Amino acid sequence: MHKLIKDLTGERFGKLIVLNRALSNSKSGNARWTCRCDCGSFTTVTGSKLINKHTTSCGCNKRTANGHSTERLFRIWNGMKRRCLNEKSDNYKWYGGRGISICSEWDEYEAFRSWAIKAGYSDALTIDRINPNGNYTPENCKWVDIKAQANNRNNNHILKLNGETYTISQFAEKYRISYWTVVNRLKLGWDLERIIRTPERSVDCLG
C-alpha cells in the first residue's frame, strides 16, 4: 500500500512558499516540492526537510554573505531554475513544460558552482545540454562558446530583415543583442523589429 503524500502546495515554510510538486522524487524516493523564496529565487526541496524546518529558504542569506549573488554563474543557475520550475516564466513551456528538470544535486547553488568550475566554466561560455531533450545534470551539461553553439544549432535557421539574411548569431552580433535574447524572443513569437527595439533584461541573456 502506497504511503499517502500530503499536498504542501500553497504552504509557507520560513521564506519558502510551495508552488507545486516537482516532476521527480529525490534519489531516496522522497517527494520533492518546487518553492519560491521571498528573495525571488526558486528551489526544490524534499517534503521532509520542509516539514522538519531543516530548509526554510533557498540559501540566499548564505549566498549573499559569500558574495555569490552578484556572479554571472549565479544568474545562470537561477535562470535555469526559473525556466524549469516557474510556470509563469516566459520560457517555461520550452523547459519545465516539456518535462525538462534539474537534478537534485543542483538544488543548492554551491553544488552547481562547484561542478561548473570543475567543468571549465568561464564568463565567455554558456551552459548547454548535450541531449536537448534531456535534463540539467552533470552528465548532460557542458560549457560551450556562445557563438559556436549558435552556429551549430541554427545553421538552417535564417532570419531576414531589410533585404539581408542572417543566422541567429550573425543577427545578434549585427544588432549588438545577446544571442540568447534573440533565441528566447523568437520562441515567444516576436518579430525582428520588436526584438531590436525592446531593451534587454539580464534574464534574457542567459541560456
Side-chain angles (χ1 to χ4, degrees), residues 108-169:
E108 297 297 329
Y109 173 63
E110 287 78 7
F112 174 77
R113 186 176 188 273
S114 177
W115 166 83
I117 293 172
K118 291 178 181 177
Y121 169 78
S122 80
D123 286 346
L125 304 178
T126 185
I127 195 168
D128 182 48
R129 281 172 297 128
I130 298 169
N131 174 3
N133 294 315
N135 299 323
Y136 283 100
T137 68
E139 299 77 20
N140 193 45
C141 289
K142 61 182 179 178
W143 296 101
V144 298
D145 175 80
I146 295 176
K147 183 177 290 187
Q149 181 189 53
N151 286 326
N152 287 339
R153 288 187 172 182
N154 297 283
N155 53 359
N156 293 320
H157 196 151
I158 301 301
L159 307 179
K160 295 183 179 181
L161 182 66
N162 299 328
E164 300 289 336
T165 59
Y166 310 90
T167 64
I168 292 182
S169 60

Side-chain angles (χ1 to χ4, degrees), residues 27-82:
K27 292 181 180 179
S28 60
N30 294 323
R32 300 164 68 231
W33 299 87
T34 300
C35 305
R36 183 179 67 247
C37 185
D38 288 346
C39 74
S41 298
F42 296 86
T43 189
T44 306
V45 187
T46 59
S48 60
K49 289 185 178 180
L50 292 171
I51 294 172
N52 295 333
K53 299 183 180 180
H54 180 273
T55 302
T56 58
S57 77
C58 68
C60 53
N61 293 335
K62 181 178 179 181
R63 289 194 299 272
T64 300
N66 292 337
H68 293 330
S69 61
T70 61
E71 296 176 349
R72 175 178 181 266
L73 187 54
F74 174 77
R75 297 197 300 273
I76 290 175
W77 175 79
N78 202 31
M80 176 178 66
K81 284 183 158 295
R82 184 179 294 105

Side-chain angles (χ1 to χ4, degrees), residues 13-33:
F13 299 89
K15 295 176 66 176
L16 299 176
I17 295 179
V18 180
L19 300 179
N20 49 55
R21 184 175 175 182
L23 295 174
S24 61
N25 293 339
S26 67
K27 292 181 180 179
S28 60
N30 294 323
R32 300 164 68 231
W33 299 87

